[in-house]
Amino acid sequence: MITEPGRDMAEGRETDAVAERPVELAYRPTVGELASALRARARSTRAGRFQRRALVWTVAVSTIGALLSAAGSDRHDTPWELYVGAVVFAAFMTAAPWLQARHLHRLAERQGDICGTVDDTGVRITTAHSSAGLDWHLYPRYAETPELFVLLSADKSAVGFVVLPKRAVADPGEVDRLRAVLDRRLVRADAGEAPGSPRSRGRAVGRGAGSVGLLLLGLLLFFFAFAAVQHVAHPDRFPGIQNNTAPMSAVMLGLGTLAVAGAWWLVRRMTAMRTVTAALAVLVLLGGGAALYRVAPMLHCWGSDRIARGPEGAYVCYDF
């Protein structure tokens, strides 16, 4: 193949010029983008991951404790204030990124529109009232979400962060160039979560297995809820006044529903598994619906120790 040296050199210089051309951005951050950046930072730091796990466990333990206390023999003395406080705390912690994002957004609004450039030397940001240059050593890692890139500072808690929305570039193709610059200069904080990585595949398998396990647990709890009221539901086979097991059955229905919800939550970001889990969850919940259909007429006797089914099918409550 014969080529012209002068032409090849010109094309090479043009290619280098394109590669070195800064990626230009123009945007004004939104509350949603700032909240997404805060969540990405939390997922990328040890403190943030610990906080998220603690929140999940707090909600789970509080919910299970409230359900068990409500069905126990001393359910009239249930410390509802404690559980309400735990729910309020969990709701506040869940909403904290959004509340913090609103505060940051008010500060960003005072700066007006933001213009920036990103190249191998760093990030340059200009607003109506200020301008700043950020070298890469100040932000050595980054995380990516479907909507934006988040540059994270070098400290363990990533106190400082810079939000670069993908919508800020004029051409969608520039997003790939921006990602290429970041990959050359920074380390991905979520590298283990990248699709196709060994850690990502291992977590996917673990989440799938956990989802199936929770679905089976939910089905088992629904079966126990159905069987717990077997005696009182069939007075022809078990005549007389029976122990009121409806509260415990209701608790198992609640725990089974939580198990099904947890199964979906584990795979909510996995398209294929999410679809399969949703289909299986519907079948499991049908079993729970059958149990609820049996238990619901008994729930008006929640505070009674004994219960019996009358000749017309209605349930009578007894206290001894």
Side-chain angles (χ1 to χ4, degrees), residues 163-227:
V163 180
L164 302 177
K166 295 180 181 179
R167 64 175 176 82
V169 298
D171 183 0
E174 294 288 274
V175 173
D176 293 331
R177 280 215 312 127
L178 177 55
R179 184 185 296 107
V181 173
L182 298 179
D183 285 336
R184 284 197 303 270
R185 307 302 300 181
L186 306 181
V187 175
R188 286 187 67 110
D190 54 352
E193 308 298 331
S197 67
R199 183 180 176 185
S200 177
R201 289 194 296 269
R203 286 199 171 188
V205 172
R207 285 176 178 270
S211 178
V212 172
L214 285 174
L215 286 175
L216 292 176
L217 176 61
L219 184 62
L220 187 63
L221 287 168
F222 290 153
F223 172 77
F224 285 151
F226 190 87

Short mmCIF file of all heavy atoms in Angstrom, two decimals, residues 163-227:
data_model
loop_
_atom_site.label_atom_id
_atom_site.label_comp_id
_atom_site.label_asym_id
_atom_site.label_seq_id
_atom_site.Cartn_x
_atom_site.Cartn_y
_atom_site.Cartn_z
N VAL A 163 -19.07 17.55 40.49
CA VAL A 163 -20.12 16.91 39.71
C VAL A 163 -19.98 17.34 38.25
O VAL A 163 -19.98 18.54 37.95
CB VAL A 163 -21.52 17.27 40.24
CG1 VAL A 163 -22.59 16.59 39.42
CG2 VAL A 163 -21.63 16.90 41.71
N LEU A 164 -19.87 16.36 37.35
CA LEU A 164 -19.80 16.63 35.90
C LEU A 164 -20.97 15.89 35.23
O LEU A 164 -20.86 14.70 34.92
CB LEU A 164 -18.47 16.15 35.33
CG LEU A 164 -17.20 16.76 35.94
CD1 LEU A 164 -15.96 16.13 35.31
CD2 LEU A 164 -17.19 18.28 35.77
N PRO A 165 -22.10 16.54 35.03
CA PRO A 165 -23.25 15.88 34.39
C PRO A 165 -22.95 15.50 32.94
O PRO A 165 -22.30 16.25 32.21
CB PRO A 165 -24.37 16.93 34.48
CG PRO A 165 -23.91 17.92 35.51
CD PRO A 165 -22.42 17.93 35.43
N LYS A 166 -23.44 14.36 32.54
CA LYS A 166 -23.24 13.93 31.16
C LYS A 166 -24.04 14.78 30.18
O LYS A 166 -23.67 14.92 29.01
CB LYS A 166 -23.63 12.45 31.02
CG LYS A 166 -22.73 11.51 31.81
CD LYS A 166 -23.16 10.06 31.66
CE LYS A 166 -22.26 9.14 32.47
NZ LYS A 166 -22.65 7.71 32.38
N ARG A 167 -25.14 15.35 30.65
CA ARG A 167 -25.95 16.20 29.78
C ARG A 167 -25.26 17.53 29.48
O ARG A 167 -25.72 18.29 28.62
CB ARG A 167 -27.29 16.48 30.45
CG ARG A 167 -27.18 17.27 31.75
CD ARG A 167 -28.52 17.64 32.33
NE ARG A 167 -28.37 18.30 33.62
CZ ARG A 167 -28.11 19.59 33.78
NH1 ARG A 167 -27.96 20.36 32.71
NH2 ARG A 167 -27.98 20.12 34.99
N ALA A 168 -24.15 17.82 30.20
CA ALA A 168 -23.50 19.11 30.05
C ALA A 168 -22.71 19.23 28.76
O ALA A 168 -22.35 20.34 28.36
CB ALA A 168 -22.57 19.36 31.24
N VAL A 169 -22.42 18.13 28.09
CA VAL A 169 -21.65 18.18 26.83
C VAL A 169 -22.61 18.40 25.67
O VAL A 169 -23.78 17.99 25.71
CB VAL A 169 -20.83 16.91 26.63
CG1 VAL A 169 -19.82 16.74 27.76
CG2 VAL A 169 -21.73 15.68 26.56
N ALA A 170 -22.13 19.05 24.63
CA ALA A 170 -22.98 19.38 23.49
C ALA A 170 -23.31 18.16 22.65
O ALA A 170 -24.41 18.04 22.11
CB ALA A 170 -22.31 20.45 22.64
N ASP A 171 -22.36 17.23 22.53
CA ASP A 171 -22.52 16.05 21.68
C ASP A 171 -22.46 14.81 22.56
O ASP A 171 -21.53 14.65 23.36
CB ASP A 171 -21.40 16.02 20.63
CG ASP A 171 -21.55 14.85 19.67
OD1 ASP A 171 -22.52 14.08 19.81
OD2 ASP A 171 -20.69 14.71 18.79
N PRO A 172 -23.42 13.89 22.47
CA PRO A 172 -23.37 12.66 23.28
C PRO A 172 -22.07 11.88 23.12
O PRO A 172 -21.63 11.20 24.03
CB PRO A 172 -24.57 11.85 22.77
CG PRO A 172 -25.52 12.88 22.25
CD PRO A 172 -24.66 13.97 21.67
N GLY A 173 -21.43 11.99 21.95
CA GLY A 173 -20.16 11.31 21.75
C GLY A 173 -19.05 11.84 22.64
O GLY A 173 -18.06 11.15 22.89
N GLU A 174 -19.21 13.07 23.12
CA GLU A 174 -18.21 13.65 24.00
C GLU A 174 -18.17 12.97 25.36
O GLU A 174 -17.18 13.09 26.09
CB GLU A 174 -18.49 15.15 24.19
CG GLU A 174 -18.33 15.99 22.93
CD GLU A 174 -16.85 16.14 22.56
OE1 GLU A 174 -16.19 17.06 23.07
OE2 GLU A 174 -16.37 15.29 21.77
N VAL A 175 -19.24 12.29 25.72
CA VAL A 175 -19.25 11.57 27.01
C VAL A 175 -18.16 10.50 27.02
O VAL A 175 -17.47 10.32 28.02
CB VAL A 175 -20.64 10.94 27.26
CG1 VAL A 175 -20.62 10.06 28.51
CG2 VAL A 175 -21.70 12.03 27.41
N ASP A 176 -17.99 9.79 25.90
CA ASP A 176 -16.94 8.77 25.82
C ASP A 176 -15.56 9.41 25.91
O ASP A 176 -14.65 8.85 26.55
CB ASP A 176 -17.07 7.99 24.52
CG ASP A 176 -18.34 7.15 24.48
OD1 ASP A 176 -18.82 6.75 25.55
OD2 ASP A 176 -18.88 6.92 23.37
N ARG A 177 -15.39 10.57 25.30
CA ARG A 177 -14.09 11.26 25.39
C ARG A 177 -13.83 11.70 26.82
O ARG A 177 -12.70 11.59 27.33
CB ARG A 177 -14.07 12.48 24.47
CG ARG A 177 -13.80 12.14 23.02
CD ARG A 177 -12.97 13.20 22.32
NE ARG A 177 -13.47 14.55 22.55
CZ ARG A 177 -12.69 15.53 23.00
NH1 ARG A 177 -11.42 15.31 23.31
NH2 ARG A 177 -13.18 16.75 23.16
N LEU A 178 -14.86 12.18 27.49
CA LEU A 178 -14.70 12.60 28.88
C LEU A 178 -14.34 11.41 29.76
O LEU A 178 -13.44 11.49 30.61
CB LEU A 178 -15.99 13.26 29.37
CG LEU A 178 -16.03 13.71 30.84
CD1 LEU A 178 -14.87 14.64 31.15
CD2 LEU A 178 -17.36 14.37 31.15
N ARG A 179 -15.00 10.29 29.54
CA ARG A 179 -14.68 9.08 30.30
C ARG A 179 -13.25 8.62 30.03
O ARG A 179 -12.54 8.17 30.93
CB ARG A 179 -15.66 7.97 29.97
CG ARG A 179 -15.46 6.70 30.82
CD ARG A 179 -16.36 5.57 30.39
NE ARG A 179 -17.76 5.87 30.58
CZ ARG A 179 -18.62 6.14 29.60
NH1 ARG A 179 -18.18 6.16 28.31
NH2 ARG A 179 -19.87 6.41 29.86
N ALA A 180 -12.81 8.75 28.79
CA ALA A 180 -11.44 8.35 28.43
C ALA A 180 -10.42 9.21 29.16
O ALA A 180 -9.39 8.71 29.64
CB ALA A 180 -11.25 8.43 26.92
N VAL A 181 -10.66 10.53 29.24
CA VAL A 181 -9.75 11.41 29.97
C VAL A 181 -9.69 11.01 31.44
O VAL A 181 -8.61 10.91 32.05
CB VAL A 181 -10.19 12.87 29.83
CG1 VAL A 181 -9.34 13.77 30.72
CG2 VAL A 181 -10.08 13.33 28.38
N LEU A 182 -10.86 10.77 32.02
CA LEU A 182 -10.89 10.39 33.44
C LEU A 182 -10.19 9.05 33.68
O LEU A 182 -9.49 8.88 34.68
CB LEU A 182 -12.34 10.33 33.92
CG LEU A 182 -13.13 11.64 33.87
CD1 LEU A 182 -14.56 11.43 34.35
CD2 LEU A 182 -12.44 12.73 34.68
N ASP A 183 -10.37 8.11 32.76
CA ASP A 183 -9.71 6.81 32.92
C ASP A 183 -8.19 6.93 32.80
O ASP A 183 -7.44 6.17 33.43
CB ASP A 183 -10.24 5.82 31.87
CG ASP A 183 -11.63 5.31 32.21
OD1 ASP A 183 -12.00 5.34 33.40
OD2 ASP A 183 -12.35 4.89 31.29
N ARG A 184 -7.71 7.88 31.98
CA ARG A 184 -6.27 8.06 31.84
C ARG A 184 -5.66 8.70 33.09
O ARG A 184 -4.55 8.36 33.48
CB ARG A 184 -5.95 8.93 30.62
CG ARG A 184 -6.07 8.24 29.29
CD ARG A 184 -5.36 9.01 28.19
NE ARG A 184 -5.84 10.38 28.05
CZ ARG A 184 -6.84 10.74 27.24
NH1 ARG A 184 -7.47 9.82 26.53
NH2 ARG A 184 -7.20 12.01 27.16
N ARG A 185 -6.38 9.61 33.70
CA ARG A 185 -5.81 10.41 34.78
C ARG A 185 -6.23 9.98 36.17
O ARG A 185 -5.53 10.26 37.15
CB ARG A 185 -6.21 11.88 34.58
CG ARG A 185 -5.89 12.44 33.22
CD ARG A 185 -4.41 12.36 32.89
NE ARG A 185 -3.60 13.09 33.87
CZ ARG A 185 -2.30 13.21 33.84
NH1 ARG A 185 -1.63 12.62 32.85
NH2 ARG A 185 -1.64 13.88 34.76
N LEU A 186 -7.35 9.26 36.29
CA LEU A 186 -7.89 8.93 37.61
C LEU A 186 -8.11 7.43 37.74
O LEU A 186 -8.01 6.67 36.78
CB LEU A 186 -9.23 9.66 37.83
CG LEU A 186 -9.23 11.18 37.64
CD1 LEU A 186 -10.63 11.74 37.92
CD2 LEU A 186 -8.20 11.85 38.53
N VAL A 187 -8.43 7.03 38.96
CA VAL A 187 -8.78 5.63 39.26
C VAL A 187 -10.27 5.57 39.53
O VAL A 187 -10.82 6.41 40.26
CB VAL A 187 -8.00 5.13 40.50
CG1 VAL A 187 -8.45 3.72 40.87
CG2 VAL A 187 -6.51 5.17 40.23
N ARG A 188 -10.92 4.58 38.96
CA ARG A 188 -12.35 4.41 39.21
C ARG A 188 -12.57 3.93 40.64
O ARG A 188 -12.07 2.88 41.03
CB ARG A 188 -12.96 3.42 38.23
CG ARG A 188 -13.13 3.94 36.83
CD ARG A 188 -13.90 2.96 35.97
NE ARG A 188 -15.27 2.84 36.42
CZ ARG A 188 -16.33 3.29 35.73
NH1 ARG A 188 -16.14 3.90 34.57
NH2 ARG A 188 -17.54 3.14 36.19
N ALA A 189 -13.33 4.70 41.41
CA ALA A 189 -13.66 4.30 42.78
C ALA A 189 -14.58 3.10 42.78
O ALA A 189 -14.62 2.33 43.75
CB ALA A 189 -14.29 5.46 43.54
N ASP A 190 -15.33 2.92 41.70
CA ASP A 190 -16.28 1.81 41.60
C ASP A 190 -15.80 0.78 40.58
O ASP A 190 -16.60 0.15 39.91
CB ASP A 190 -17.67 2.31 41.22
CG ASP A 190 -17.64 3.17 39.95
OD1 ASP A 190 -16.53 3.49 39.48
OD2 ASP A 190 -18.72 3.51 39.44
N ALA A 191 -14.47 0.63 40.47
CA ALA A 191 -13.94 -0.30 39.46
C ALA A 191 -14.44 -1.71 39.69
O ALA A 191 -14.70 -2.45 38.75
CB ALA A 191 -12.40 -0.28 39.49
N GLY A 192 -14.58 -2.10 40.97
CA GLY A 192 -15.07 -3.44 41.26
C GLY A 192 -16.50 -3.65 40.85
O GLY A 192 -16.96 -4.78 40.70
N GLU A 193 -17.25 -2.54 40.67
CA GLU A 193 -18.64 -2.66 40.30
C GLU A 193 -18.84 -2.60 38.79
O GLU A 193 -19.97 -2.72 38.32
CB GLU A 193 -19.44 -1.52 40.95
CG GLU A 193 -19.23 -1.38 42.46
CD GLU A 193 -19.68 -2.62 43.21
OE1 GLU A 193 -20.60 -3.29 42.72
OE2 GLU A 193 -19.12 -2.91 44.27
N ALA A 194 -17.79 -2.35 38.03
CA ALA A 194 -17.94 -2.25 36.58
C ALA A 194 -18.44 -3.57 36.01
O ALA A 194 -18.02 -4.64 36.43
CB ALA A 194 -16.60 -1.88 35.94
N PRO A 195 -19.37 -3.52 35.05
CA PRO A 195 -19.89 -4.75 34.46
C PRO A 195 -18.77 -5.59 33.88
O PRO A 195 -17.89 -5.09 33.18
CB PRO A 195 -20.85 -4.23 33.37
CG PRO A 195 -21.22 -2.85 33.82
CD PRO A 195 -20.00 -2.32 34.50
N GLY A 196 -18.82 -6.89 34.15
CA GLY A 196 -17.82 -7.81 33.62
C GLY A 196 -16.64 -8.06 34.53
O GLY A 196 -15.87 -8.99 34.29
N SER A 197 -16.46 -7.24 35.58
CA SER A 197 -15.34 -7.47 36.48
C SER A 197 -15.63 -8.69 37.36
O SER A 197 -16.78 -9.02 37.61
CB SER A 197 -15.11 -6.23 37.36
OG SER A 197 -16.20 -6.05 38.24
N PRO A 198 -14.57 -9.39 37.84
CA PRO A 198 -14.80 -10.57 38.69
C PRO A 198 -15.64 -10.25 39.92
O PRO A 198 -16.52 -11.04 40.30
CB PRO A 198 -13.38 -11.01 39.06
CG PRO A 198 -12.51 -10.48 37.97
CD PRO A 198 -13.14 -9.19 37.54
N ARG A 199 -15.37 -9.12 40.53
CA ARG A 199 -16.15 -8.76 41.72
C ARG A 199 -17.61 -8.53 41.37
O ARG A 199 -18.52 -8.93 42.11
CB ARG A 199 -15.56 -7.50 42.34
CG ARG A 199 -16.24 -7.07 43.64
CD ARG A 199 -15.59 -5.83 44.19
NE ARG A 199 -16.27 -5.34 45.37
CZ ARG A 199 -15.97 -4.22 45.99
NH1 ARG A 199 -14.95 -3.49 45.56
NH2 ARG A 199 -16.64 -3.83 47.05
N SER A 200 -17.84 -7.88 40.23
CA SER A 200 -19.22 -7.63 39.80
C SER A 200 -19.94 -8.94 39.52
O SER A 200 -21.10 -9.13 39.92
CB SER A 200 -19.22 -6.74 38.56
OG SER A 200 -20.53 -6.55 38.09
N ARG A 201 -19.26 -9.88 38.84
CA ARG A 201 -19.90 -11.17 38.55
C ARG A 201 -20.18 -11.94 39.84
O ARG A 201 -21.24 -12.56 39.98
CB ARG A 201 -19.00 -11.99 37.62
CG ARG A 201 -18.93 -11.44 36.19
CD ARG A 201 -18.31 -12.48 35.27
NE ARG A 201 -16.94 -12.76 35.63
CZ ARG A 201 -15.88 -12.12 35.15
NH1 ARG A 201 -16.06 -11.15 34.27
NH2 ARG A 201 -14.66 -12.44 35.51
N GLY A 202 -19.22 -11.90 40.78
CA GLY A 202 -19.43 -12.59 42.05
C GLY A 202 -20.61 -12.01 42.82
O GLY A 202 -21.42 -12.76 43.39
N ARG A 203 -20.70 -10.70 42.83
CA ARG A 203 -21.83 -10.07 43.53
C ARG A 203 -23.15 -10.39 42.84
O ARG A 203 -24.17 -10.56 43.49
CB ARG A 203 -21.62 -8.56 43.60
CG ARG A 203 -20.56 -8.15 44.61
CD ARG A 203 -20.70 -6.70 44.98
NE ARG A 203 -19.84 -6.34 46.08
CZ ARG A 203 -19.87 -5.18 46.71
NH1 ARG A 203 -20.73 -4.26 46.31
NH2 ARG A 203 -19.07 -4.93 47.72
N ALA A 204 -23.12 -10.45 41.51
CA ALA A 204 -24.35 -10.76 40.79
C ALA A 204 -24.83 -12.17 41.14
O ALA A 204 -26.03 -12.38 41.37
CB ALA A 204 -24.11 -10.63 39.28
N VAL A 205 -23.90 -13.12 41.18
CA VAL A 205 -24.27 -14.49 41.56
C VAL A 205 -24.80 -14.52 42.99
O VAL A 205 -25.82 -15.16 43.29
CB VAL A 205 -23.07 -15.43 41.40
CG1 VAL A 205 -23.39 -16.81 41.96
CG2 VAL A 205 -22.68 -15.55 39.93
N GLY A 206 -24.11 -13.83 43.89
CA GLY A 206 -24.55 -13.79 45.28
C GLY A 206 -25.92 -13.16 45.44
O GLY A 206 -26.76 -13.66 46.20
N ARG A 207 -26.16 -12.06 44.72
CA ARG A 207 -27.46 -11.41 44.80
C ARG A 207 -28.56 -12.31 44.22
O ARG A 207 -29.67 -12.36 44.77
CB ARG A 207 -27.43 -10.08 44.04
CG ARG A 207 -26.68 -8.98 44.79
CD ARG A 207 -26.60 -7.72 43.95
NE ARG A 207 -25.93 -6.66 44.67
CZ ARG A 207 -26.53 -5.78 45.45
NH1 ARG A 207 -27.84 -5.84 45.60
NH2 ARG A 207 -25.85 -4.83 46.09
N GLY A 208 -28.25 -13.01 43.13
CA GLY A 208 -29.24 -13.91 42.56
C GLY A 208 -29.59 -15.04 43.53
O GLY A 208 -30.77 -15.36 43.72
N ALA A 209 -28.55 -15.64 44.14
CA ALA A 209 -28.80 -16.71 45.10
C ALA A 209 -29.56 -16.19 46.32
O ALA A 209 -30.47 -16.84 46.83
CB ALA A 209 -27.47 -17.33 45.53
N GLY A 210 -29.18 -15.00 46.79
CA GLY A 210 -29.89 -14.42 47.93
C GLY A 210 -31.33 -14.12 47.61
O GLY A 210 -32.23 -14.30 48.45
N SER A 211 -31.59 -13.68 46.38
CA SER A 211 -32.96 -13.39 45.98
C SER A 211 -33.81 -14.65 45.97
O SER A 211 -34.94 -14.66 46.47
CB SER A 211 -32.97 -12.74 44.60
OG SER A 211 -34.27 -12.49 44.16
N VAL A 212 -33.27 -15.73 45.42
CA VAL A 212 -34.01 -17.00 45.40
C VAL A 212 -34.25 -17.48 46.83
O VAL A 212 -35.35 -17.95 47.17
CB VAL A 212 -33.23 -18.05 44.59
CG1 VAL A 212 -33.88 -19.42 44.73
CG2 VAL A 212 -33.15 -17.64 43.13
N GLY A 213 -33.23 -17.35 47.70
CA GLY A 213 -33.39 -17.77 49.08
C GLY A 213 -34.48 -16.99 49.79
O GLY A 213 -35.29 -17.55 50.55
N LEU A 214 -34.54 -15.68 49.57
CA LEU A 214 -35.57 -14.86 50.21
C LEU A 214 -36.96 -15.20 49.68
O LEU A 214 -37.95 -15.19 50.43
CB LEU A 214 -35.27 -13.38 49.99
CG LEU A 214 -34.13 -12.81 50.83
CD1 LEU A 214 -33.83 -11.38 50.40
CD2 LEU A 214 -34.48 -12.85 52.31
N LEU A 215 -37.06 -15.52 48.39
CA LEU A 215 -38.35 -15.93 47.85
C LEU A 215 -38.82 -17.24 48.49
O LEU A 215 -40.00 -17.38 48.83
CB LEU A 215 -38.26 -16.08 46.34
CG LEU A 215 -38.20 -14.79 45.52
CD1 LEU A 215 -37.99 -15.10 44.04
CD2 LEU A 215 -39.48 -13.97 45.70
N LEU A 216 -37.90 -18.18 48.65
CA LEU A 216 -38.26 -19.44 49.30
C LEU A 216 -38.64 -19.20 50.76
O LEU A 216 -39.58 -19.82 51.28
CB LEU A 216 -37.09 -20.43 49.21
CG LEU A 216 -36.77 -20.95 47.80
CD1 LEU A 216 -35.54 -21.84 47.83
CD2 LEU A 216 -37.96 -21.71 47.23
N LEU A 217 -37.93 -18.31 51.43
CA LEU A 217 -38.27 -17.98 52.81
C LEU A 217 -39.66 -17.35 52.89
O LEU A 217 -40.46 -17.68 53.79
CB LEU A 217 -37.23 -17.02 53.39
CG LEU A 217 -37.50 -16.49 54.80
CD1 LEU A 217 -37.55 -17.64 55.81
CD2 LEU A 217 -36.45 -15.47 55.20
N GLY A 218 -39.95 -16.44 51.96
CA GLY A 218 -41.28 -15.84 51.94
C GLY A 218 -42.37 -16.87 51.74
O GLY A 218 -43.40 -16.84 52.40
N LEU A 219 -42.13 -17.81 50.80
CA LEU A 219 -43.11 -18.87 50.56
C LEU A 219 -43.31 -19.72 51.80
O LEU A 219 -44.44 -20.10 52.15
CB LEU A 219 -42.65 -19.73 49.38
CG LEU A 219 -43.61 -20.83 48.92
CD1 LEU A 219 -44.93 -20.23 48.44
CD2 LEU A 219 -42.97 -21.65 47.79
N LEU A 220 -42.21 -20.04 52.50
CA LEU A 220 -42.30 -20.85 53.72
C LEU A 220 -43.08 -20.11 54.81
O LEU A 220 -43.92 -20.71 55.51
CB LEU A 220 -40.89 -21.19 54.20
CG LEU A 220 -40.78 -22.17 55.38
CD1 LEU A 220 -41.33 -23.53 54.98
CD2 LEU A 220 -39.32 -22.32 55.82
N LEU A 221 -42.82 -18.82 54.96
CA LEU A 221 -43.54 -18.03 55.97
C LEU A 221 -45.03 -17.95 55.64
O LEU A 221 -45.87 -18.02 56.55
CB LEU A 221 -42.93 -16.64 56.07
CG LEU A 221 -41.56 -16.55 56.74
CD1 LEU A 221 -40.93 -15.19 56.52
CD2 LEU A 221 -41.68 -16.84 58.24
N PHE A 222 -45.36 -17.81 54.37
CA PHE A 222 -46.77 -17.78 53.98
C PHE A 222 -47.44 -19.13 54.29
O PHE A 222 -48.60 -19.17 54.71
CB PHE A 222 -46.90 -17.46 52.50
CG PHE A 222 -46.55 -16.03 52.16
CD1 PHE A 222 -46.08 -15.69 50.90
CD2 PHE A 222 -46.68 -15.03 53.10
CE1 PHE A 222 -45.76 -14.38 50.58
CE2 PHE A 222 -46.36 -13.70 52.79
CZ PHE A 222 -45.90 -13.39 51.53
N PHE A 223 -46.70 -20.22 54.07
CA PHE A 223 -47.25 -21.54 54.39
C PHE A 223 -47.51 -21.68 55.89
O PHE A 223 -48.56 -22.17 56.32
CB PHE A 223 -46.29 -22.63 53.91
CG PHE A 223 -46.68 -24.01 54.36
CD1 PHE A 223 -47.70 -24.70 53.73
CD2 PHE A 223 -46.03 -24.61 55.44
CE1 PHE A 223 -48.06 -25.96 54.16
CE2 PHE A 223 -46.39 -25.88 55.86
CZ PHE A 223 -47.41 -26.56 55.22
N PHE A 224 -46.54 -21.23 56.70
CA PHE A 224 -46.73 -21.30 58.14
C PHE A 224 -47.88 -20.41 58.59
O PHE A 224 -48.63 -20.75 59.51
CB PHE A 224 -45.45 -20.89 58.86
CG PHE A 224 -44.37 -21.92 58.83
CD1 PHE A 224 -43.03 -21.57 58.87
CD2 PHE A 224 -44.68 -23.28 58.76
CE1 PHE A 224 -42.04 -22.54 58.85
CE2 PHE A 224 -43.70 -24.25 58.73
CZ PHE A 224 -42.37 -23.88 58.76
N ALA A 225 -48.03 -19.25 57.96
CA ALA A 225 -49.14 -18.36 58.30
C ALA A 225 -50.48 -19.03 57.99
O ALA A 225 -51.45 -18.89 58.74
CB ALA A 225 -49.02 -17.05 57.53
N PHE A 226 -50.51 -19.76 56.89
CA PHE A 226 -51.72 -20.48 56.51
C PHE A 226 -52.02 -21.62 57.49
O PHE A 226 -53.16 -21.84 57.91
CB PHE A 226 -51.56 -21.03 55.09
CG PHE A 226 -52.81 -21.60 54.49
CD1 PHE A 226 -53.70 -20.78 53.82
CD2 PHE A 226 -53.08 -22.95 54.59
CE1 PHE A 226 -54.86 -21.29 53.26
CE2 PHE A 226 -54.24 -23.48 54.04
CZ PHE A 226 -55.13 -22.65 53.37
N ALA A 227 -50.94 -22.33 57.87
CA ALA A 227 -51.13 -23.50 58.75
C ALA A 227 -51.39 -23.11 60.20
O ALA A 227 -52.00 -23.87 60.95
CB ALA A 227 -49.89 -24.39 58.67
#
